[in-house]
Amino acid sequence: MAARIQISPRPKKGEVVEVRVLIQHPMETGYRRDDVGHLIKRNVITTLSCRYDGVEVFRADLSSGIAANPYVQFYTVAQTSGDLEFYWVDDEGKQGSERTPIQVT
Amino acid sequence: MSRAVTLALALVLLALPALAQQRAIPLAELKSGSSFLGADLRSLQNDDFANPGTLWLERGEKLWSSPAGAKNQSCAGCHQDAKTSMLGVAARYPKVDAESGRLLDLEGRINLCRTRRMGAQPFKYESEELLAITAYVARQSRGMPLNVSIDGAARSHFDAGEKSYRLRRGQMNLSCAHCHEANWGKRLLSETISQGHPNGYPVYRMEWQTMGSLERRLRACLSGIRAEMLPYGSPEYLDLELYLAWRAQGLPMETPGVRR
C-alpha cells in the first residue's frame, strides 16, 4: 500500500501546521458485485491514527462511506522536532504505516 | 482550359483535404473534460499531492527503471531519463509503428517495447502495471498540446475512426457525435455533456474509484448507449482513439486527469 504525507516545511514552534495524508487503498464497500455476480468482500481501512513524537494527535474510524484512496487533512501544533507516524489497519487485518520528520525551527 | 491548368487544379483539389482537414469543433471552442468538472474535482486534478492518480505515477516511475524479461532490460536501459526522453511523446499517440505497420496507442507501444525489446510478457489491459507505466510516460507530456499525425499510413485508420465516431450504435441508436459534438455543454440528468476529449488519459475516474484507460472509458460510453462493447485491444478502438486525438488537436495534456 503506497501512501504519502505532506506537512508545511520547517514550521516555527507553536505554529499550526497542516498535515495531509493520501493512502492507496481500494476501500471496497462490500456492496459491489464482480463480473459474475458474486459479492466482493468488504475491505476498508477501519482505523487511521497519527502519532507526533510518540503522542497520538489524530485518530479516525473510517467506514465504507469513504472513497477509495482516502485523503485526510488535519491540523496540529508544531511543538518539538520529531517524527509524524501514521498507522492504519484494514478489514483484512493488513497494517500500513508511513512516517515523516517534523523539523521545528 | 489548357491541360496544364486542369492538371494543376486537380492536384490542388487532391491536396486540399490533406492540407486542412476540417475541424469538428473549432480550436477556439475546444474544451478539455476538466472544464466540465466542478471546482472541487478541478482543484483535485491540479493538486499534485491529493490527485489520487499521482499514486500510479509513483509506481510507474519505479517500473520505468525495473529490468524485466529475457533480456533483463528496463525502459530506462534504452530511453534513460523519462523526464527528457518521453517529453511530448504521449501527445503524438496513437501512431503507426513503422516496423510492423500497426496503429498503436501508448499502451500498445509500451507492450510492444516489452515483447520486442525486453523479451517480456505484455502487461494485461487495465492492469495496475500498464496503467502506472502509461500514466508515468504520459505525465511527461503534461501541458503539451495533442499533436497526432493523420497522414500516410495513419490516414486509413483516421478515416475508419471518423466513420466509427459517426456510426449509430446500440439500442439507443446514438453515435459519439450525437452527444459530444451536437449537444456538448447541455445537461444529461445531473451531468454536463463534455466534448469527449482524450487529453487526460489514463484518468482517475470517481465512478471507477480507480485509474482507467481511454479504452475503458470508450467501453463505458458503449454500455451507456446500450451498445455491444468491443473486446479490449480491438482495432476499432485504436482507430477511434486516433480520431479523438486529432479532434482534440491543440488541447494540452492533463495526465493524470481526474474525471467524474
Side-chain angles (χ1 to χ4, degrees):
Chain A
M1 281 185 280
R4 65 168 81 127
I5 309 167
Q6 191 184 55
I7 50 160
S8 356
R10 306 185 73 76
K12 290 192 179 69
K13 189 175 164 66
E15 194 181 318
V16 174
V17 287
E18 183 188 78
V19 181
R20 312 166 89 194
V21 60
L22 178 72
I23 303 168
Q24 189 164 27
H25 195 281
M27 296 297 275
E28 194 58 63
T29 59
Y31 298 117
R32 295 198 315 148
R33 289 173 188 274
D34 63 15
D35 292 343
V36 285
H38 295 139
L39 265 186
I40 305 172
K41 225 176 148 197
R42 185 187 123 130
N43 180 25
V44 302
I45 293 176
T46 49
T47 305
L48 168 69
S49 68
C50 173
R51 292 159 82 87
Y52 175 18
D53 199 30
V55 182
E56 189 172 273
V57 290
F58 180 87
R59 172 181 288 270
D61 294 329
L62 308 184
S63 64
S64 60
I66 308 285
N69 308 306
Y71 163 73
V72 175
Q73 178 184 331
F74 62 91
Y75 296 86
T76 188
V77 179
Q79 297 285 4
T80 52
S81 292
D83 274 359
L84 208 57
E85 303 164 86
F86 281 89
Y87 291 97
W88 60 93
V89 60
D90 68 11
D91 283 323
E92 288 178 357
K94 269 195 204 134
Q95 296 180 16
S97 65
E98 188 70 36
R99 65 168 61 198
T100 192
I102 292 189
Q103 198 65 252
V104 174
T105 54
Chain B
M1 217 185 295
S2 79
R3 267 183 72 182
V5 173
T6 318
L7 189 68
L9 198 67
L11 279 175
V12 166
L13 285 176
L14 274 175
L16 263 180
L19 283 175
Q21 172 79 33
Q22 190 68 42
R23 274 182 175 277
I25 299 175
L27 185 62
E29 284 177 40
L30 276 193
K31 278 177 195 286
S32 165
S34 56
S35 54
F36 295 91
L37 300 174
D40 50 345
L41 286 188
R42 225 174 16 246
S43 71
L44 185 64
Q45 173 176 297
N46 296 331
D47 185 333
D48 275 339
F49 178 85
N51 180 340
T54 54
L55 292 163
W56 277 261
L57 295 185
E58 270 173 34
R59 177 146 190 204
E61 188 172 10
K62 281 184 203 132
L63 282 170
W64 179 263
S65 44
S66 320
K71 294 177 191 161
N72 201 37
Q73 183 64 275
S74 72
C75 309
C78 290
H79 301 287
Q80 283 87 34
D81 188 359
K83 288 185 177 68
T84 50
S85 64
M86 291 296 121
L87 198 72
V89 169
R92 295 194 288 271
Y93 274 79
K95 191 176 164 183
V96 174
D97 170 48
E99 235 171 281
S100 64
R102 279 167 51 205
L103 182 68
L104 297 172
D105 55 10
L106 199 53
E107 285 91 343
R109 160 62 66 196
I110 289 166
N111 269 339
L112 189 66
C113 247
R114 284 182 65 81
T115 49
R116 193 193 271 165
R117 310 260 182 250
M118 296 159 73
Q121 289 292 316
F123 289 131
K124 287 200 177 73
Y125 289 104
E126 298 307 301
S127 63
E128 293 287 294
E129 289 90 349
L130 188 57
L131 291 168
I133 188 76
T134 309
Y136 179 65
V137 171
R139 165 66 182 85
Q140 313 310 326
S141 305
R142 192 162 79 173
M144 303 179 78
L146 285 181
N147 184 24
V148 288
S149 161
I150 57 165
D151 299 323
R155 188 69 208 193
S156 59
H157 294 289
F158 173 81
D159 291 338
E162 175 162 26
K163 208 170 148 199
S164 173
Y165 188 84
R166 305 199 177 277
L167 178 72
R168 286 180 178 268
R169 304 163 190 265
Q171 290 179 323
M172 292 191 174
N173 205 25
L174 290 170
S175 76
C176 312
H178 285 116
C179 288
H180 299 290
E181 202 168 289
N183 285 302
W184 63 266
K186 295 185 189 157
R187 307 288 283 181
L188 182 66
L189 301 177
S190 66
E191 305 214 332
T192 311
I193 302 171
S194 77
Q195 293 181 348
H197 295 307
N199 56 322
Y201 283 82
V203 298
Y204 189 89
R205 194 163 178 235
M206 289 300 150
E207 188 185 319
W208 298 331
Q209 292 280 290
T210 187
M211 207 70 171
S213 69
L214 182 55
E215 269 191 44
R216 183 171 178 189
R217 186 63 189 86
L218 293 175
R219 286 166 64 86
C221 255
L222 289 174
S223 136
I225 57 167
R226 299 185 198 157
E228 195 181 333
M229 289 188 281
L230 307 162
Y232 275 111
S234 155
E236 200 173 339
Y237 285 131
L238 291 170
D239 296 344
L240 193 52
E241 281 176 49
L242 177 65
Y243 180 70
L244 291 181
W246 170 81
R247 201 175 155 266
Q249 193 100 310
L251 273 184
M253 300 262 308
E254 293 175 5
T255 312
V258 172
R259 297 291 182 268
R260 285 173 306 224

